[in-house]
Amino acid sequence: MLILYILGLIIVFIPVYLLVWIGPNPTRDRWLYFLIGLFFAAITGLALYWINLDVRLNPDNPQVIWARLSRTSLAGFLEELIRYPALLIANHYGRRLFSKSGDVLLKVSSAQTIWTRIPDPHGLGMYFGVGWGLAETFGFYIYPKYLAYIDGVEWQIADHILPLIYRITAVMAHTALTYLAMIITINKGFYRLTMIVHIGSNMVNEVFAVLTTTESASILIIIFTRFSIVAIAYFFLRPKVRYLSPALLLLIEIVLFLLFVLIGSFVYLFYLIFSAGIVDVPG
């Protein structure tokens, strides 16, 4: 059972593997972006907890849907409110470290970075976004599964495959939201856009969480809305498609997104078929 829990832990870190594989070259300042994103996401999570967003709601209360919508809207608003200044802080300290470290960053022309006044947008966007999403992974997957292991809960693929997809797609969505937030440096209107996109997706998720009868159906809706966030970010950055541009990285992310969801869906489908006894396993 421990081996299976470790397998889940390995899988949930897929975004970090992809970051090193297809993302900008890992340098000390870019890892700093990663850590600052992780840190501020943790701060945001604590803020959401302390302002009592995680209250126990009475499901029989007719006002429950409005309470949930208010909670999730405030969560999206607070995340985007903190994300932008956190990006500026990451950029400030990343540049200071870079000037001292001698690391060679990706050289890009001014035309490639016209969509933002932040230097090294590729490194900042990818590393900060993955760091932010990974903080949520620790809080919503790794820690709960650790408690489940301590309590002796048997590892079941049905209890892991959808949460794994849920967390990995969340990291991808936070990367896309980071790119959107970075455009704020030249167009303040994107501050409103990032908030609307984040709050809107959260509200859709809550509505379908109430309407759907199973957790699996609710998670599938959440995966779809996160894919929509990535697609929106790609649409706004699409005119800048070129080597290692944010739009190209987001396009690769979309392909990986669909591939991972497809593979995960087939694994989950086969599990349901075998667990229902539709197909007999010889032996």
Side-chain angles (χ1 to χ4, degrees), residues 79-188:
E79 280 196 68
E80 298 312 317
L81 190 67
I82 294 176
R83 191 192 309 271
Y84 179 57
L87 279 168
L88 297 181
I89 292 173
N91 180 61
H92 172 72
Y93 285 101
R95 291 176 64 187
R96 288 184 60 183
L97 179 63
F98 167 63
S99 64
K100 297 177 182 178
S101 67
D103 287 333
V104 178
L105 292 182
L106 181 69
K107 294 182 179 179
V108 293
S109 66
S110 59
Q112 288 175 288
T113 58
I114 192 65
W115 58 279
T116 176
R117 291 196 180 96
I118 294 179
D120 187 29
H122 314 290
L124 181 53
M126 292 293 284
Y127 281 79
F128 182 96
V130 173
W132 188 288
L134 193 62
E136 291 190 353
T137 299
F138 278 106
F140 294 112
Y141 179 83
I142 296 177
Y143 182 65
K145 297 308 177 186
Y146 167 76
L147 295 179
Y149 173 73
I150 294 299
D151 292 338
V153 178
E154 184 178 355
W155 196 96
Q156 297 287 340
I157 189 171
D159 298 330
H160 285 260
I161 188 63
L162 284 178
L164 283 170
I165 297 175
Y166 181 86
R167 294 294 8 131
I168 292 175
T169 54
V171 175
M172 293 179 171
H174 277 295
T175 302
L177 285 167
T178 298
Y179 277 130
L180 284 179
M182 290 168 65
I183 311 176
I184 296 170
T185 56
I186 61 170
N187 188 339
K188 300 301 181 183

Side-chain angles (χ1 to χ4, degrees), residues 27-34 94 97-98 103 105 120:
T27 57
R28 286 200 296 175
D29 57 318
R30 285 171 175 165
W31 282 119
L32 178 65
Y33 296 156
F34 176 89
L97 179 63
F98 167 63
D103 287 333
L105 292 182
D120 187 29

